[in-house]
Amino acid sequence: MSLLTQAAPGDTHVVIETGQTALVIRIDKEQIPTIVHLGTKLRNAAEYGTISGNGKRGEDYTGIYNSVYTPAGSRNLLEPAIQVTHADGNPSLDLHYVRHETQPAGDGVVLTKVYLKDPQYPFEVTLHYKAYQQEDVIEQWATIRHTEKKPITMQKYASANLYLPAQTYYLTHFHGDWANEMNPSEVQLTEGIKVLDSKLGTRADLFQPPSFLISLNQPADEDRGDVIAGTLAWSGNYQLAFEVDPLHNLRIIPGINPYASAYSLAPNQEFTTPSFLFTYSSHGKGGASRSLHRWARKHRIPQGQGNRLTLLNNWEATYFDFNEEKLSALFKDGKKLGVDLFLLDDGWFGNKYPRNNDHTSLGDWQENKKKLPHGLGYLVKEAESSGIKFGIWLEPEMVSPKSELYEKHADWVIKLPNRQEYYFRNQLVLDLTNPKVQDFVYDVVNGIMTKNPTLGYIKWDCNAVIYNAYSATNPNQSNLFVDYVQGLYKVVERIRAKYPTLPMMLCSGGGGRVDYGALRYFTEYWPSDNTDGLERVFIQWNYSYFFPAIASCNHVTDWGKQPIKFRTDVAMMGKIGYDIVVSKLTEPELQFSQEALKTYDRIKPIIWQGDQFRLSSPYTSDVASLMYVNEAQDKAVWFSYLVKNRYKAGSVAPIKLKGLSPDKKYTIQELNVYPGTKSEINTSTATYSGNYLMTIGFNPQVSSRRESVVLEVSEVK
């Protein structure tokens, strides 16, 4: 087969561009759509037509190795993006270009739709590309519909199918478990397929998230190298496939996991895949993450450019053992500390089966009359009279086998009728594919909010995975995993529509559900139940490649051996909260915490809305160091931590700063100085140019005596 060195006469090009990036689709005379470019955009769009078949280095026997959405069963030889069986049993698919259209879709957003159709069947796929111009992010998804006489079966239905040529490919992915989230691994991809996936149903990214980085030609660092950062906006089973093809080009196919999910699609119904979000950076991993942060704050996370509440949680103070008197005392402690809100965690509900441990009561969302005889309304008013708001913990997707809900509605539970029940954290999952269950979960939240309209916060937990997957009401059992997530989204979409400004934390026993599908509805997420300050340096470091600081809930707790200053400094790199017994703090600890919260209130706009720059990695240095710089480049907050406490470990040399204006003059002042100690940074009168700080650097004086240091960098006006 001869290779075209450039486009043939009559070829059409569909060009999707952001401020820096271009994705170019070529339509040949046979109406076959292929990707010929993904990377830095050209200044002259006419030159896209001269690109060869996207770096083909030999014979492509199919002509569609670089298909824009590879169909299975016809002439394809590689991993497909879509595989279907038609109503007549034919297992093949061929997708030809029909037309495309481009239209504005908001401030600085352009939506391109590419319509594809099988020439033999009334089967259509529309590829959607939303290009965020200023944020340099592309959001891609597919819609699938048909008008065949009977339902068709979709064995696979990916969200995207990218194609890239390079000499080498380095995949950075993340793995872990409860309290051990987001450990990075970097591997070179070789010929064949590397698959990252989840089969857990709910809490789907307990073992690994649907997020990754790909470096092209050489491993990228923070500031140098060509990088794609990608993440799938889906809260259920996912699959990320990375295939190096026979011509040594890379195919990236992200989407819903086809495992146990052959999907029956009725005629005239439309199936929409989850969004795949990606950004291309020629300025290393840091450039990619800053693009995703800006996009998420402006376009995805509710109130992403607004405010957040600091909270005090009762969990480590009381666990399940509390009453109104204890809680009222904690309200006063919260006000004394200086937080905005008190969050009542697990254990407040259930009467026939009181929630005194984690073995009962999930599903019975009525106030426990013994612990809370006057109900939640009393607590809301008590908290407000103490000067803070009141929030509540819920786990509404779950049910305890020992509960009134289970006794009344066993058919609402996901479980096989002829298998022994098997529990994850002593609980089972409600069947959110059932509209009655969706209404029940919505009514739980809406009922609490209707009775307590000034309730200030909901922590939404999800601790179980799906065992023995079976729905008593879903006619298509293999639709269950997909329909579950869509049912969840229907519920939270209703809640968000009625309560658009209600702060809601996305929790899943830690980082078991951190994705932009759910973060369309939740203002923030819980990265990990591991709140050890040193561990959190690493965990938060890796989440920050994909998610902005404003969405990361970082709590000061009694986990870990670090002093409270270290734990507080780490928690400030996001949305700070507390889960401590305030009455047990020493006077200096209380004074420090109160002052730190006042400081945080002043600097949080820089952390939440500023650009993040990683300066020194905890994986390669004694010191982890990163900074946040505001848009005007006149303020920055710089965090540094000792992470390897060996002999003479510390910041033995200056650390070069990033993101400042080289022409501006800056002063440096230490924040969060512990009572009774003096700062070793005596620079209140010294000034430095941004050029100096980014070329020569500055030593934050991190050592075993100063294990965490927070510095404020301010322009001299």
Side-chain angles (χ1 to χ4, degrees):
M1 183 179 290
S2 63
L3 294 176
L4 294 173
T5 56
Q6 63 182 49
D11 283 357
T12 300
H13 289 86
V14 182
V15 180
I16 295 115
E17 288 182 322
T18 66
Q20 305 294 325
T21 303
L23 171 65
V24 182
I25 301 167
R26 178 171 294 160
I27 316 298
D28 67 14
K29 64 180 184 298
E30 296 176 351
Q31 305 302 296
I32 303 298
T34 57
I35 295 175
V36 294
H37 180 68
L38 172 55
T40 303
K41 83 173 183 180
L42 300 180
R43 295 180 182 178
N44 180 4
E47 291 187 306
Y48 291 124
T50 66
I51 298 173
S52 65
N54 195 16
K56 289 183 178 175
R57 291 169 272 217
E59 279 201 278
D60 173 352
Y61 299 107
T62 67
I64 58 169
Y65 282 1
N66 58 331
S67 171
V68 72
Y69 198 67
T70 311
S74 49
R75 74 195 211 206
N76 171 51
L77 299 175
L78 304 177
E79 182 69 15
I82 182 168
Q83 180 180 8
V84 305
T85 301
H86 295 283
D88 64 2
N90 188 319
S92 69
L93 187 64
D94 196 9
L95 292 175
H96 288 206
Y97 169 84
V98 178
R99 63 186 174 90
H100 73 277
E101 59 189 46
T102 299
Q103 60 200 59
D107 182 21
V109 185
V110 177
L111 176 63
T112 300
K113 297 179 185 178
V114 180
Y115 296 87
L116 310 176
K117 185 180 181 302
D118 189 310
Q120 300 299 327
Y121 287 89
F123 184 96
E124 302 168 2
V125 173
T126 304
L127 303 178
H128 304 253
Y129 300 86
K130 212 178 231 187
Y132 298 85
Q133 304 301 302
Q134 297 169 350
E135 294 78 23
D136 207 33
V137 166
I138 296 174
E139 179 180 8
Q140 181 180 351
W141 70 95
T143 53
I144 302 164
R145 69 182 302 275
H146 71 94
T147 56
E148 299 185 28
K149 293 180 179 178
K150 293 181 180 180
I152 59 105
T153 301
M154 302 191 299
Q155 283 85 13
K156 190 173 183 184
Y157 31 95
S159 296
N161 187 171
L162 303 184
Y163 196 77
L164 291 151
Q167 296 305 311
T168 49
Y169 310 95
Y170 295 88
L171 168 67
T172 302
H173 62 102
F174 303 86
H175 61 91
D177 202 339
W178 177 81
N180 187 30
E181 291 86 354
M182 293 299 285
N183 300 289
S185 288
E186 185 170 67
V187 294
Q188 183 175 346
L189 296 173
T190 56
E191 273 66 15
I193 301 180
K194 170 81 171 177
V195 172
L196 307 173
D197 75 348
S198 171
K199 302 180 180 75
L200 305 180
T202 58
R203 203 177 177 182
D205 42 317
L206 174 63
F207 301 143
Q208 56 189 356
S211 304
F212 64 89
L213 302 160
I214 289 282
S215 302
L216 305 177
N217 298 315
Q218 60 192 20
D221 61 19
E222 278 301 309
D223 308 300
R224 291 175 297 276
D226 295 333
V227 176
I228 284 184
T231 184
L232 187 70
W234 182 246
S235 308
N237 294 345
Y238 65 86
Q239 183 186 85
L240 309 174
F242 305 88
E243 180 175 29
V244 179
D245 76 6
L247 302 183
H248 198 70
N249 297 313
L250 177 63
R251 309 173 72 245
I252 304 174
I253 305 176
I256 292 172
N257 197 337
Y259 164 76
S261 295
Y263 201 88
S264 178
L265 185 65
N268 294 304
Q269 286 191 353
E270 186 169 86
F271 184 91
T272 302
T273 72
S275 293
F276 174 62
L277 297 145
F278 66 96
T279 183
Y280 180 93
S281 166
S282 56
H283 300 288
K285 297 176 181 177
S289 63
R290 286 187 289 278
S291 292
L292 285 174
H293 295 174
R294 287 192 290 269
W295 170 83
R297 290 192 298 259
K298 183 173 181 181
H299 298 285
R300 179 53 52 103
I301 297 172
Q303 294 100 56
Q305 295 175 306
N307 194 21
R308 294 291 184 273
L309 302 172
T310 58
L311 63 84
L312 173 66
N313 194 342
N314 72 300
W315 183 243
E316 292 196 15
T318 67
Y319 294 100
F320 291 101
D321 182 21
F322 56 81
N323 55 32
E324 289 177 346
E325 189 178 357
K326 275 188 184 179
L327 295 177
S328 294
L330 293 176
F331 299 161
K332 295 179 175 61
D333 284 345
K335 181 61 177 176
K336 183 179 178 183
L337 181 62
V339 299
D340 305 312
L341 175 135
F342 178 87
L343 173 64
L344 177 58
D345 214 289
D346 198 354
W348 58 269
F349 51 93
N351 287 298
K352 181 178 180 180
Y353 304 108
R355 181 73 167 179
N356 295 322
N357 54 54
D358 65 6
H359 286 69
T360 71
S361 319
L362 290 175
D364 301 344
W365 300 105
Q366 312 89 26
E367 298 97 322
N368 178 271
K369 293 175 182 175
K370 186 174 181 183
K371 293 181 185 178
L372 309 178
H374 298 98
L376 290 177
Y378 171 80
L379 296 177
V380 172
K381 291 189 176 72
E382 279 289 294
E384 290 172 349
S385 67
S386 297
I388 59 176
K389 295 190 174 200
F390 181 84
I392 196 76
W393 176 95
L394 289 168
E395 195 174 2
E397 298 165 70
M398 303 295 159
V399 63
S400 302
K402 197 172 183 179
S403 67
E404 292 185 78
L405 181 66
Y406 186 93
E407 291 172 349
K408 293 174 184 174
H409 295 289
D411 60 325
W412 284 9
V413 180
I414 294 177
K415 64 190 182 87
L416 282 161
N418 61 349
R419 301 286 183 192
Q420 184 177 349
E421 290 178 1
Y422 192 74
Y423 306 126
F424 197 107
R425 201 184 179 238
N426 312 301
Q427 61 197 58
L428 294 166
V429 181
L430 290 174
D431 181 7
L432 277 175
T433 73
N434 183 341
K436 291 181 180 178
V437 177
Q438 295 172 22
D439 289 341
F440 169 78
V441 174
Y442 172 79
D443 289 341
V444 167
V445 178
N446 186 50
I448 290 173
M449 292 301 302
T450 301
K451 291 176 187 174
N452 308 285
T454 60
L455 189 88
Y457 192 88
I458 286 177
K459 176 182 176 183
W460 185 298
D461 214 340
C462 169
N463 283 297
V465 302
I466 292 178
Y467 292 127
N468 295 325
Y470 181 85
S471 165
T473 56
N474 196 320
N476 297 298
Q477 292 302 322
S478 63
N479 289 16
L480 173 62
F481 284 124
V482 175
D483 289 350
Y484 181 90
V485 181
Q486 292 177 338
L488 169 66
Y489 290 166
K490 285 178 183 176
V491 172
V492 288
E493 191 167 333
R494 287 172 67 189
I495 293 168
R496 185 50 76 199
K498 186 166 183 182
Y499 305 100
T501 61
L502 175 67
M504 295 197 340
M505 181 204 290
L506 178 62
C507 182
S508 193
R513 189 187 263 173
V514 184
D515 67 84
Y516 281 121
L519 282 171
R520 185 189 294 274
Y521 310 106
F522 291 82
T523 50
E524 52 226 60
Y525 70 92
W526 183 237
S528 176
D529 281 350
N530 187 340
T531 51
D532 177 294
L534 181 59
E535 295 284 345
R536 270 302 189 104
V537 170
F538 291 84
I539 291 170
Q540 292 168 204
W541 182 276
N542 292 314
Y543 273 116
S544 77
Y545 284 112
F546 308 98
F547 304 98
I550 191 171
S552 179
C553 294
N554 308 332
H555 288 187
V556 181
T557 77
D558 289 330
W559 277 49
K561 300 175 182 176
Q562 306 86 25
I564 197 167
K565 170 177 163 49
F566 190 104
R567 288 175 276 140
T568 303
D569 292 350
V570 172
M572 276 193 175
M573 297 188 300
K575 205 216 78 163
I576 197 170
Y578 290 82
D579 199 334
I580 55 176
V581 185
V582 177
S583 60
K584 291 185 179 178
L585 295 176
T586 65
E587 190 58 40
E589 287 175 335
L590 178 61
Q591 181 187 340
F592 169 79
S593 300
Q594 290 168 330
E595 290 301 317
L597 275 172
K598 291 175 185 173
T599 299
Y600 179 73
D601 201 47
R602 180 174 63 81
I603 65 173
K604 65 188 182 186
I606 305 166
I607 298 166
W608 291 351
Q609 303 299 333
D611 275 339
Q612 183 194 65
F613 295 88
R614 302 176 196 87
L615 310 178
S616 175
S617 170
Y619 293 95
T620 57
S621 171
D622 294 341
V623 174
S625 189
L626 57 82
M627 65 189 293
Y628 301 88
V629 183
N630 70 357
E631 190 175 359
Q633 295 177 302
D634 61 357
K635 283 283 188 180
V637 183
W638 175 16
F639 297 90
S640 299
Y641 309 97
L642 186 68
V643 294
K644 294 175 184 169
N645 196 357
R646 299 192 68 187
Y647 179 63
K648 287 191 175 179
S651 55
V652 295
I655 295 174
K656 294 179 183 179
L657 277 63
K658 300 174 186 175
L660 302 175
S661 169
D663 301 322
K664 290 183 177 180
K665 295 282 189 181
Y666 296 94
T667 59
I668 298 176
Q669 178 184 2
E670 184 164 1
L671 306 177
N672 289 6
V673 178
Y674 197 76
T677 66
K678 286 186 66 176
S679 171
E680 294 188 16
I681 310 295
N682 184 18
T683 58
S684 56
T685 56
T687 62
Y688 306 86
S689 69
N691 172 250
Y692 176 90
L693 292 172
M694 293 189 291
T695 305
I696 305 300
F698 186 88
N699 192 335
Q701 304 294 335
V702 177
S703 67
S704 59
R705 293 177 294 103
R706 287 166 51 81
E707 293 184 346
S708 67
V709 177
V710 183
L711 300 174
E712 184 175 20
V713 182
S714 305
E715 182 189 359
V716 179
K717 302 258 182 159

